[in-house]
């Protein structure tokens, strides 16, 4: 109805791939090597897993520039919150990947996580992923905080708050403040609509 079905040529190639057509694995005339050149790999069908952002990200130069300016502002000590909203598949994640590509190179820490519907059942999950807080972390501070959070969830934590979640949230926020003392920090939570309530509070 929408006129977006693949054309006959693409449909035929798709069928040949599914059938493991050996002719697809041999180079065509355009793949002949110039004299004297040797390739380490035999000619074969190469598949590339695409990055989050395509190599030539086009059409959103103004937004990419704005993101880069916000990172530079963070380096100079000015914090910001930026909300990106749009229909699913419109390119929000690719915009972030492109705009934040140089974040670590210019001196910012970058934490990135994506929320999902299942993760809503696990308090603080997306924030812990974003900050890489886990007991097997190579960073002793992260490992210790993860262990504290686990003990706290089991009712043997050291936080004295009447609300068990408040102590955990305060501890995570304190950790973020500690990270910001050493270097500016950019945190990205993709698909925020699926974030659990405790992560939203953080």
């Amino acid at each position: 109805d929408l006129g977006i079905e693949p054309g006959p040529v693409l449909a035929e190639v798709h069928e040949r791939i599914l059938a493991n057509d050996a002719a697809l694995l041999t180079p065509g005339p355009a793949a002949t090597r110039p004299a004297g050149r040797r390739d380490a790999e035999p000619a074969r069908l190469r598949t590339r897993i695409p990055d989050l952002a395509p190599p030539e990200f086009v059409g959103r130069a103004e937004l990419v520039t704005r993101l880069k300016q916000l990172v530079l502002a963070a380096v100079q000590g000015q914090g910001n919150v930026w909300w990106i909203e749009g229909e699913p598949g419109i390119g929000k994640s690719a915009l972030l990947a492109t705009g934040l590509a140089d974040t670590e190179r210019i001196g910012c820490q970058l934490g990135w996580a994506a929320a999902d519907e299942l993760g809503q059942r696990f308090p603080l999950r997306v924030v812990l992923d974003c900050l890489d807080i886990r007991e097997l972390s190579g960073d002793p501070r992260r490992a210790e905080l993860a262990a504290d959070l686990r003990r706290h969830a089991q009712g043997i934590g050291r936080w004295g708050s009447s609300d068990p979640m408040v102590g955990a949230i305060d501890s995570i926020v304190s950790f973020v403040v500690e990270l910001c003392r050493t270097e500016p920090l950019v945190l990205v939570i993709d698909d925020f609509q699926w974030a659990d309530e405790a992560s939203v509070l953080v």
Side-chain angles (χ1 to χ4, degrees):
D1 291 346
L2 298 175
I4 56 172
E5 287 297 313
V9 175
L10 182 58
E12 180 190 344
V13 172
H14 179 234
E15 290 299 320
R16 290 174 65 195
I17 291 170
L18 292 177
N20 291 322
D21 185 344
L24 292 173
L25 301 176
T26 58
T32 358
R33 294 187 192 115
R37 183 173 163 210
R38 300 175 125 196
D39 287 338
E41 289 184 353
R44 60 185 171 82
L45 183 66
R46 291 182 173 93
T47 44
R48 240 182 236 178
I49 300 171
D51 293 326
L52 201 53
E56 294 179 21
F57 186 72
V58 295
R60 298 219 169 91
E62 186 180 328
L63 292 174
V64 169
T65 300
R66 181 71 181 124
L67 271 174
K68 291 178 185 290
Q69 289 169 344
L70 290 171
V71 173
L72 290 172
V75 170
Q76 295 164 3
Q78 180 185 350
N80 289 282
V81 175
W82 218 40
W83 179 274
I84 300 175
E85 189 172 10
E87 293 298 316
I90 202 169
K92 300 180 296 294
S93 300
L95 169 66
L96 282 167
T98 303
L100 301 178
D102 296 329
T103 298
E104 292 173 309
R105 186 184 59 75
I106 65 171
C108 268
Q109 303 169 84
L110 178 63
W112 191 309
D116 58 47
E117 191 171 4
L118 180 63
Q120 288 180 309
R121 297 167 43 193
F122 304 100
L124 300 172
R125 180 75 271 143
V126 72
V127 164
L128 296 179
D129 288 346
C130 188
L131 292 167
D132 194 30
I133 296 172
R134 53 195 173 85
E135 288 190 64
L136 296 177
S137 172
D139 178 355
R141 301 167 304 169
R142 287 177 163 86
E144 182 183 348
L145 178 54
D148 281 347
L149 290 169
R150 182 180 47 76
R151 286 192 292 269
H152 183 64
Q154 294 169 345
I156 52 175
R158 57 184 168 84
W159 299 303
S161 169
S162 55
D163 182 347
M165 194 55 70
V166 171
I169 289 173
D170 286 347
S171 189
I172 291 170
V173 171
S174 296
F175 179 65
V176 169
V177 170
E178 181 186 337
L179 289 175
C180 290
R181 283 195 183 106
T182 59
E183 237 181 348
L185 174 66
V186 174
L187 297 177
V188 176
I189 296 184
D190 208 351
D191 291 327
F192 192 74
Q193 73 274 14
W194 297 122
D196 61 275
E197 188 177 341
S199 290
V200 173
L201 288 173
V202 174

